[in-house]
Amino acid sequence: MSLTNKNVVFVAGLGCIGLDTSKELLKRNLKNLVILDRIDNPDAIAELKAINPKVTVTFFPYDVTAPLAETAKLLKCIFSQFKTVDILINGAGILDDHQIERTIAVNYTGLVNTTTAILDFWDKRKCGPGGIICNIGSVTGFNAIYQVPVYSGSKAAVVNFTSSLAKLAPITGVTAYTVNPGITKTTLVQKFNSWLDVEPKVAEKLLEHPTQTTQQCAKNFVKAIELNKNGALWKLDLGTLEP
């Protein structure tokens, strides 16, 4: 699938993997890249705009833990401004098993809410045009890091939710797949807490394993989007892309 002239909404498009993926997306001559993120970063937005002046980059402040009604209100504003959205990328995530409720809210509930909200505009049962959802999971979604069961469980939920969305495509007209990064050099893995402190040095032990850079991950992230395979469970690890 060509991304030329597509409108893409990217939740957490200024994060570690998110920012480098946004940069890769801009090389594909999108029509609009709409970034939703909790913290405004004017320097990052300016950097993105400079990459490809042909693409309009727009920022909206958005906390993924917002109630469904607020998410729906924001999407209504986006659809009103841009008329169509082709792809939704759900990319928000945290890794800290001390923050149980927030981990589930950011990694899973928020993703479900943005998906639910956009279905109101895309669902073909409501005469919508359909659409594409790309959800960022993690290899822990199918191969848990047992010291962080809350994080791993939230990512497993993303994988299963997305698989269900893909199977509902004949009904809704909305296709979906997950991209699942392996260990990537981001701020998430520099320092984090294990559940109930079962492993005080979990971050250090994780980084003993081979890692990939955010740039490597981003390149394969966009390749997965271009492949656009409904129901795919992509593994992005050590600079490779494989099902």
Side-chain angles (χ1 to χ4, degrees):
M1 177 185 70
S2 171
L3 296 177
T4 301
N5 290 324
K6 299 293 190 210
N7 287 344
V8 177
V9 172
F10 196 164
V11 179
L14 298 181
C16 295
I17 293 175
L19 183 57
D20 280 321
T21 302
S22 292
K23 292 176 183 178
E24 284 295 316
L25 285 168
L26 288 168
K27 297 175 184 178
R28 267 63 173 188
N29 291 321
L30 308 177
K31 185 176 182 180
N32 287 284
L33 177 60
V34 182
I35 293 177
L36 313 183
D37 218 311
R38 188 171 62 90
I39 299 174
D40 189 2
N41 186 337
D43 291 339
I45 294 296
E47 182 183 3
L48 292 175
K49 288 181 176 180
I51 291 172
N52 189 346
K54 295 179 182 178
V55 184
T56 301
V57 179
T58 308
F59 172 81
F60 289 91
Y62 175 61
D63 187 334
V64 75
T65 64
L68 176 58
E70 289 187 26
T71 301
K73 184 178 179 181
L74 174 59
L75 281 171
K76 184 177 181 180
C77 175
I78 290 169
F79 274 84
S80 176
Q81 182 171 336
F82 298 98
K83 307 308 177 188
T84 61
V85 173
D86 300 291
I87 303 170
L88 168 67
I89 304 172
N90 283 309
I94 62 169
L95 173 53
D96 186 347
D97 267 32
H98 282 189
Q99 299 187 64
I100 294 172
E101 291 184 2
R102 182 162 177 79
T103 294
I104 295 169
V106 171
N107 294 358
Y108 182 60
T109 308
L111 176 148
V112 173
N113 282 349
T114 52
T115 300
T116 302
I118 207 166
L119 259 291
D120 200 40
F121 301 91
W122 276 354
D123 195 334
K124 70 179 186 180
R125 294 172 299 170
K126 298 182 178 180
C127 300
I132 300 166
I133 293 177
C134 173
N135 288 331
I136 301 182
S138 163
V139 293
T140 64
F142 43 87
N143 187 15
I145 299 175
Y146 63 87
Q147 298 98 328
V148 284
V150 180
Y151 175 82
S152 298
S154 70
K155 292 301 184 178
V158 168
V159 167
N160 282 281
F161 177 71
T162 310
S163 295
S164 298
L165 288 176
K167 291 173 182 175
L168 290 170
I171 297 172
T172 64
V174 177
T175 58
Y177 50 87
T178 56
V179 294
N180 301 278
I183 304 170
T184 308
K185 293 177 182 177
T186 71
T187 54
L188 258 67
V189 298
Q190 296 304 317
K191 182 179 180 181
F192 60 94
N193 298 303
S194 64
W195 180 69
L196 301 180
D197 293 322
V198 292
E199 176 50 74
K201 295 184 179 180
V202 64
E204 291 92 328
K205 289 195 172 184
L206 187 66
L207 288 172
E208 290 174 1
H209 296 274
T211 61
Q212 64 183 350
T213 65
T214 54
Q215 292 87 353
Q216 287 176 308
C217 186
K219 288 180 185 294
N220 286 315
F221 194 143
V222 176
K223 285 181 184 178
I225 294 173
E226 290 173 322
L227 287 166
N228 189 31
K229 185 178 178 182
N230 186 42
L233 184 68
W234 293 110
K235 180 181 177 183
L236 284 61
D237 199 17
L238 302 178
T240 65
L241 173 69
E242 57 185 78

